[in-house]
Amino acid sequence: LFLSCDFSVPFGWKKLESDDLFVGIAPDKGGGGYVDLARHLRYFSTCCSFPWSSEFPVGSRADVPQDGKRYFPITPRKVKFLLTTALSSGIRGFNYHMFVERDHWYDAPLANDGTIQPNFELIKKFTDLAGKIGLAQLKSSSLVGLTSYRPYLWFDFLTCSNGGKMGEDFSYLPFLISKTHPNLSSDLINLKINFGMPDLWLTESLKEFSCLLVP
């Protein structure tokens, strides 16, 4: 799943899941900061059958990798922060993206000649620990659910054939969502209240919570 401009996605991705296919997510630090990343991950981990990262980035892309290493290094501290964010948001499976360096990719755990690099020991320790504690079998203990309602987002995606916006009468909805969800998420995080993000269209995602916030 891609990360859309908000924590939800406009299509019914839950229908994609089956015995032969289960959906993963690629965490992206992006420009939205910690709260936005946590919201994306919590929505996904609350609503999917098995919350896992199909492309967990270890390292980063650059047209000139040597410049990337020099000016924007992906240190073990940064990777540890992303791992911790994913874990605290309910992600229970990890597939490391670009574990070995290649063209336009730098600071992977292994260089393309097999040389061990700084991120290797961190990933090794984390993988060993995940196996010992049975990470894949653990469940989130969130009691509070901050709900989303996908149809609200559709108004923000619709455009007229002439390039103008449709649904001007409902233009307050995207504005309302942009003000309520990020701020409520930030407050819950600052109060150290563990929360999930169920979807009102996925009724099974609502059952685990004793308290639901419905902006």
Side-chain angles (χ1 to χ4, degrees):
L1 284 182
F2 62 91
L3 296 182
S4 66
C5 61
D6 211 296
F7 54 82
S8 187
V9 288
F11 61 91
W13 57 267
K14 182 70 175 176
K15 295 179 180 179
L16 296 174
E17 294 189 322
S18 67
D19 291 339
D20 300 318
L21 175 67
F22 58 105
V23 182
I25 196 170
D28 182 8
K29 296 182 290 297
Y34 171 75
V35 173
D36 273 1
L37 175 60
R39 289 165 66 234
H40 278 97
L41 295 174
R42 286 169 190 258
Y43 175 82
F44 177 73
S45 64
T46 302
C47 297
C48 73
S49 298
F50 180 73
W52 73 299
S53 174
S54 51
E55 280 192 10
F56 189 87
V58 185
S60 187
R61 187 194 180 284
D63 290 334
V64 183
Q66 292 82 358
D67 289 347
K69 284 189 176 187
R70 180 178 180 184
Y71 297 110
F72 305 101
I74 307 301
T75 62
R77 181 183 177 88
K78 291 181 179 179
V79 176
K80 184 177 181 180
F81 174 78
L82 191 57
L83 280 169
T84 304
T85 302
L87 284 171
S88 65
S89 301
I91 301 300
R92 291 185 276 137
F94 295 84
N95 177 58
Y96 301 114
H97 181 56
M98 300 292 188
F99 191 82
V100 181
E101 283 185 350
R102 53 176 294 177
D103 294 344
H104 309 304
W105 193 266
Y106 67 95
D107 279 341
L110 293 178
N112 56 17
D113 63 358
T115 302
I116 291 177
Q117 303 203 107
N119 284 320
F120 180 86
E121 284 301 320
L122 171 64
I123 296 301
K124 182 178 183 298
K125 288 179 180 178
F126 174 77
T127 304
D128 289 344
L129 180 63
K132 288 178 181 178
I133 67 174
L135 176 61
Q137 283 73 48
L138 298 181
K139 291 190 67 176
S140 175
S141 61
S142 302
L143 298 178
V144 175
L146 176 58
T147 60
S148 79
Y149 185 54
R150 260 179 290 134
Y152 286 167
L153 297 172
W154 294 349
F155 290 96
D156 208 21
F157 284 98
L158 291 174
T159 57
C160 295
S161 57
N162 62 6
K165 279 280 188 181
M166 289 183 69
E168 291 293 340
D169 291 341
F170 302 98
S171 60
Y172 68 92
L173 288 175
F175 175 78
L176 178 67
I177 293 173
S178 70
K179 293 300 180 183
T180 55
H181 279 88
N183 292 338
L184 284 170
S185 299
S186 180
D187 288 343
L188 290 169
I189 289 171
N190 289 333
L191 290 169
K192 295 181 171 55
I193 296 175
N194 191 24
F195 68 99
M197 299 194 70
D199 191 316
L200 287 175
W201 271 21
L202 302 173
T203 53
E204 65 270 24
S205 71
L206 305 172
K207 297 175 182 177
E208 301 296 324
F209 302 99
S210 58
C211 174
L212 289 173
L213 302 178
V214 186

